[in-house]
Amino acid sequence: MSPSQESVFSEYKTETSQTSKLIKKFKETPFVPIGMGGFAAVVAYGLYKLKHRGDMKMSLHLIHMRVAAQGFAVGALTCGVLYSMFRDYVVKPKE
């Protein structure tokens, strides 16, 4: 490899660590990780409450948990899209 290719490769290698990618993605679209966390929280809550559902049928309990988890994920994605549109079209400085 030529020296210029090595410098580009080393620069690429240092900029693309998993942590830096995650932080960059979180700054660009903060609602996606929030949606994923909320989805995981609803699933964990549903699993916890599975034993204490009372006389409710298991299929009904699972349907409720699925709807809640999907609703949280879709809501977070919708908020993310609205935030992105607001940032691009309202706050964006005029060129």
Side-chain angles (χ1 to χ4, degrees):
M1 273 195 247
S2 69
S4 63
Q5 288 177 339
E6 288 177 7
S7 66
V8 170
F9 181 69
S10 65
E11 189 175 307
Y12 173 77
K13 189 175 178 182
T14 59
E15 290 181 5
T16 58
S17 71
Q18 293 297 327
T19 308
S20 66
K21 282 182 183 179
L22 184 64
I23 291 171
K24 180 182 175 188
K25 198 54 105 165
F26 186 72
K27 286 180 182 177
E28 289 175 3
T29 55
F31 289 98
V32 172
I34 292 169
M36 291 181 349
F39 178 84
V42 168
V43 169
Y45 176 75
L47 289 174
Y48 174 73
K49 285 297 205 179
L50 191 60
K51 283 195 167 235
H52 308 291
R53 66 182 186 274
D55 60 349
M56 184 187 301
K57 290 184 179 181
M58 182 182 282
S59 62
L60 187 61
H61 174 74
L62 293 176
I63 288 171
H64 287 169
M65 290 301 108
R66 180 188 65 108
V67 168
Q70 283 180 331
F72 197 93
V74 169
L77 288 172
T78 302
C79 289
V81 167
L82 292 174
Y83 172 74
S84 164
M85 289 174 60
F86 176 76
R87 188 180 58 198
D88 289 345
Y89 296 113
V90 176
V91 180
K92 183 179 177 182
K94 302 217 178 206
E95 295 176 358

